[in-house]
């Protein structure tokens, strides 16, 4: 298990160097790119993301863009984050091996969690928010409905 | 942004223990707290009507279809045989203990130690402050008028620090266990605290024997583990029994019919839950029994009505996590499990009754006995004790198995096996002479005891109404002294 | 919108049934399919080594620690007592059935109908085309050489249409059931199909009696429901028994020791799963046993190695859904459940053996008998039949309870109760005379039969090695005729 993780992050590090340029171009190119590259349309352009896009589209948050959750809101933090994450995604997808199971890695959960709180502050500020690991401990369906039968969220790739 | 945990400054004194004082500070929480007064709604197997848990004959509120008819038989000779009801809300805790027939209200002495107060009131810190560790062994009745039924019933300070509302332990036995276990309250994650608050009371306990520390102090038998097998091992020590074959073992009482040193299990919700599908996954008691509500339409607060989550037709508590499921589906899953568990419970109960009866007959058997008679009788009593404890672990637990379906069913299968072994050992002890007499429908052999109470015990006619009563002494007539917290007979009225 | 399985144009003829022909078209799928050849990896309770399921003495590959020692006793007189092994991959299905001792390889006649082929090969459509409904009752040995062990073992066309790869039923009994149930394959949701493909074979079945339709046709006993109680009710009809007390009932064989008309349960995975936590929630067999893999690092394909999901150290199959859990945690939950179930299975098994022994002794009892003797013997046999069927429902199911923990444990508790009632009725039938002899450790009373086979049955010495063998006839010596698909003795060698 841990061995495998090491292998993957090794590849990721390589990814940042190798595909760095492409990534930077894609993610910090222009203001327009900044918005485009946040959307479900952009993320979903990639095959590996199809399940996430599908389940997202079925969720209450379907009007949000992916990076409303998946990138830091603060623009100073957002740009490097997007560059690194985007670079990795692209590298793994084109040159690497897409794993059988895509798990949130690194600080993904923290980033997402911060976004939940950002939008829902008034709802949650009256209770103790460190009572669970994350919002998803209770709101397990947000937004990728992992416990739904697989046939309602996945099929083999053609 | 890190989530900010609210901290409060209540401006209440640290020692505040009156529930009413929290209303002004937390009106919304208090509103939900008062809903604990609801005591009429039932679910299929649970709910809040305090019916008699052995009465499957009368309709609500006296009895209920899913009652176990043999409770009074199985607990004969122990206060539980006088009265045992389904639990209702925390706001009734003091009121209910004041009226329960388990405590003798016909005598100056209640016959049970003040230990009982541990889980009924916010008064404990005060009691301990005043009486120290001598408190426990004092007679219950001595404190009947020391507390206010509403202001001191289970409330805010059983779980919260009055100044800051931080979660805080008050329960002496849980504090003692954690300390012995080397755990520091301040380093325990909040998620665990959300269950430990309930683990202060919704647990198996016993009254400590004086050989082991302050007499009658409540102790949780957990050092071997939380499963029934672990507790049974625990109780093999920690006692003062001198009964042959049971030396040094703990027992709650001796069953008069089978002369077996028995164990009583009480509400092991925490233990049952701990390694079930939810408990193991970190789903806390508060997640299901205090799930957030939005009373003012916006902000969440923890619901302080502790009751069955199935009372809510929408099962919102469950659907915070099981969002993809309908309420009907989830309710169906719960009730399916409960039905299986309850049916097995009824069967385990009957074999346990048969064990007592078998031992009784073997003990009274006058014919030729094998050389190993004494050993076999010890064996029969040991299996009887164990079988009944395993049954009670599930029976006394209040979720009818839902908190841990596999452990509940496994424990009941074991109970049935142990009680059956008891019957077999007793038969063996008579060289199989009593096998024939013991055969047949248990309801014919040993009818359920439907009525019994301290008052009925004073009635010689009643005491002739069941074969098993002959092992009890008729109690001397005595007037009622306590009606709840009101003294209704002058001091000295009882002989 | 739900995702849709891709459709293909394979350019293979509709009638293609050779597995090898699919390799070129679906090289990746075929690669995973060939992994079904893996047959050495074990998990705690499952895995792929085909050890003898009664042998808890020898190490792998012959036996395994978690084996049930009484299988040969419980199935005495039925082919299952000769050989029953743990299942391995689909690619071995033909090979294994050709070598199994359940089918007589010492006689021209295998002694079992060709029904067996239904779940082992892609040849069925061809067999049925050629022989129609007469096929089933033909002798198994007649077709030994009709199929290729690899090309025709369970493969693509058991589940797919050869031209389009759409999911397609081939199994006659499942088709018949769905038709009777008024369900049309084309309107069944894809998610259900992902389990029904397995429900073609991983189900309880029986050989139809000629009174009800084509003789020996495989039928799923499902019209009353899929739980053991439902099937037991079903089997009360659908038979041709003329045995007193069992008229018209179905039975698979008569146990020679207790003369009880018995039922054999076979691999009810589909039935067990159907109302468990996963089945009820719509989690399909394929979700856990065919979870998506990316062989070329890019495209997802359904893994066509059907085996234990616990062989994968990462438990990826599970973590598609249980994303928040570690593999260790999930494995722990599975094994905890399996351990409880397996322990109860062992106990249920032993009481079932005792029931046969009790009936045997009661049948041979020469002393005074009560007037109700005959009725009591029928009652004893009925409980014995029922107790063993309930045990077998869990025993024959291959997940050791994981597919449905509560149903598994509940069914085992019931099995124990029914078998115990059988023992009691038999004892009653002798006026309790045999109670004493039946008491004691079952291993002393009836030792497990560790060795038995068609060949050993021909050995008079072997047939003296266990008390229960005296109810069987020594078989006449005969040479092996079939070694798998190879004829090793000339035609007519057997008498
Ligand atoms: Ca206790
Ligand atoms: Ca069958």
């Amino acid at each position: 298990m841990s061995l495998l993780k090491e292998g993957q992050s090794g590849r990721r590090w390589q990814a940042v160097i190798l595909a760095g340029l492409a990534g930077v171009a894609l993610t910090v190119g222009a203001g327009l790119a900044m918005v485009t590259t946040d959307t479900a349309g952009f993320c979903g352009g990639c095959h590996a993301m199809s399940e996430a896009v599908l389940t997202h589209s079925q969720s209450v948050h379907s009007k949000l863009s992916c990076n409303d959750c998946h990138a830091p809101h603060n623009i100073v933090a957002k740009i490097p984050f997007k560059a690194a994450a985007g670079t990795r995604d692209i590298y793994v997808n084109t040159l690497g091996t897409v794993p059988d199971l895509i798990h949130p890695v690194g600080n993904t959960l923290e980033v997402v969690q911060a976004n939940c709180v950002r939008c829902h502050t008034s709802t949650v500020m009256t209770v103790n928010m460190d009572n669970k690991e994350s919002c998803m401990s209770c709101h397990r369906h947000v937004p990728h409905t992992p416990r739904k039968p697989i046939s309602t969220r996945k099929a083999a790739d053609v | 942004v890190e989530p900010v945990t609210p901290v409060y400054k209540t401006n209440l004194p640290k020692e505040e223990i009156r529930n009413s004082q929290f209303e002004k500070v937390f009106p919304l929480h208090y509103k939900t707290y008062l809903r604990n007064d609801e005591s009429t709604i039932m679910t299929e197997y649970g709910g809040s009507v305090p019916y008699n848990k052995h009465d499957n004959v009368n309709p609500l509120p006296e009895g209920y279809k899913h009652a176990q008819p043999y409770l009074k038989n199985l607990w004969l000779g122990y206060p539980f045989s006088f009265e045992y009801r389904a639990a209702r809300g925390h706001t009734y805790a003091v009121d209910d203990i004041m009226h329960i027939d388990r405590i003798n209200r016909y005598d100056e002495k209640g016959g049970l130690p003040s230990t009982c107060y541990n889980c009924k009131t916010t008064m404990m810190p005060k009691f301990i402050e005043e009486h120290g560790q001598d408190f426990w062994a004092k007679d219950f009745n001595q404190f009947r008028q020391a507390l206010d039924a509403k202001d001191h019933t289970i409330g805010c300070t059983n779980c919260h620090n009055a100044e800051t509302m931080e979660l805080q332990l008050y329960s002496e036995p849980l504090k003692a266990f954690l300390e012995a276990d080397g755990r520091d309250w301040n380093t325990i994650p909040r998620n665990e605290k959300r269950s430990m608050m309930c683990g202060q009371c919704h647990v198996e306990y016993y009254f400590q024997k004086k050989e082991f520390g302050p007499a009658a102090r409540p102790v949780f038998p957990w050092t071997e583990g939380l499963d029934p097998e672990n507790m049974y091992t625990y109780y093999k020590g920690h006692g003062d029994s001198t009964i042959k074959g049971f030396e040094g073992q703990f027992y709650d009482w001796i069953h008069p019919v089978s002369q077996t040193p028995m164990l009583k299990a009480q509400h092991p919700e925490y233990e049952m839950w701990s390694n079930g599908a939810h408990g193991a996954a970190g789903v806390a008691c508060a997640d299901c029994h205090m799930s957030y509500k939005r009373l003012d339409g916006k902000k969440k607060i923890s619901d302080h009505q502790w009751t069955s989550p199935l009372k809510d037709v929408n099962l919102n508590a469950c659907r915070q996590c099981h969002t993809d499921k309908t309420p009907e589906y989830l309710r169906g899953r719960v009730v399916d499990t409960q039905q299986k568990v309850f049916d097995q419970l009824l069967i385990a109960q009957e074999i346990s009754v048969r064990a007592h009866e078998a031992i009784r007959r073997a003990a009274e058997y006058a014919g030729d006995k094998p050389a190993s008679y004494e050993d076999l009788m010890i064996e029969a009593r040991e299996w009887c004790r164990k079988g009944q404890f395993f049954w009670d672990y599930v029976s006394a637990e209040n979720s009818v198995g839902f908190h841990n379906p596999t452990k509940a069913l496994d424990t009941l299968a074991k109970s049935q096996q142990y009680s059956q072994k008891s019957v077999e050992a007793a038969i063996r002890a008579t060289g199989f002479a009593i096998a024939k007499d013991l055969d047949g429908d248990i309801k014919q052999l040993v009818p359920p005891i439907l009525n019994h109470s301290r008052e009925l015990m004073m009635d010689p006619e009643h005491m002739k109404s069941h074969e098993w009563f002959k092992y009890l002494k008729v109690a001397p007539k005595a007037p009622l002294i306590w009606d709840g917290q009101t003294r209704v007979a002058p001091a000295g009225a009882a002989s």
Side-chain angles (χ1 to χ4, degrees), chain B residues 78 203-207 219 221 235 250 252 263-267 389 392:
Chain B
Y78 198 55
V203 295
E204 159 62 354
Y205 71 93
Y206 70 103
F207 301 149
V219 178
Y235 283 132
F250 178 86
D252 284 296
L263 295 170
K264 177 78 192 76
Q266 285 102 337
H267 30 71
F389 181 70
D392 212 357

Side-chain angles (χ1 to χ4, degrees), chain B residues 7-59:
Chain B
V7 269
Y8 304 93
K9 209 175 142 359
T10 59
N11 292 321
L12 293 171
K14 194 165 84 211
E15 309 72 33
E16 186 56 78
I17 55 171
R18 286 165 302 171
N19 297 321
S20 58
Q21 302 308 301
F22 291 80
E23 177 164 16
K24 280 186 304 284
V25 197
F26 300 105
L28 293 180
H29 291 80
Y30 206 77
K31 199 165 155 189
T32 66
Y33 173 76
L34 288 181
R35 290 184 187 157
N36 288 297
D37 283 348
E38 193 295 294
S39 82
T40 56
I41 301 177
M42 290 298 283
T43 63
E44 185 62 25
Y45 285 92
S48 307
V49 179
Y51 65 92
N52 287 298
K53 291 196 87 166
H54 75 289
D55 184 348
N56 65 352
V57 176
N58 293 301

Side-chain angles (χ1 to χ4, degrees), chain B residues 433-449:
Chain B
I434 62 168
K436 185 169 195 158
D437 298 341
L438 269 175
D439 194 48
D441 186 5
I442 188 71
K443 301 219 177 47
Q444 305 300 319
L445 219 56
V446 184
I449 298 172

Side-chain angles (χ1 to χ4, degrees), chain B residues 160-188:
Chain B
H160 295 282
N161 175 305
E163 291 176 299
T164 64
M165 295 312 274
E166 275 173 294
L167 292 180
Q168 170 181 288
L169 285 184
Y170 88 93
S171 168
E172 295 289 323
L174 186 53
K175 280 193 239 168
F177 175 77
L178 291 176
E179 199 175 320
D181 209 32
R183 301 196 64 185
D184 171 8
W185 184 247
N186 299 313
T187 65
I188 292 176

Side-chain angles (χ1 to χ4, degrees), chain B residues 74-90:
Chain B
L74 291 172
W75 296 327
L76 206 66
Y78 198 55
F80 269 91
S81 67
F82 297 128
E83 191 177 14
Y84 170 56
R85 288 177 178 269
R88 55 177 167 168
H90 286 165

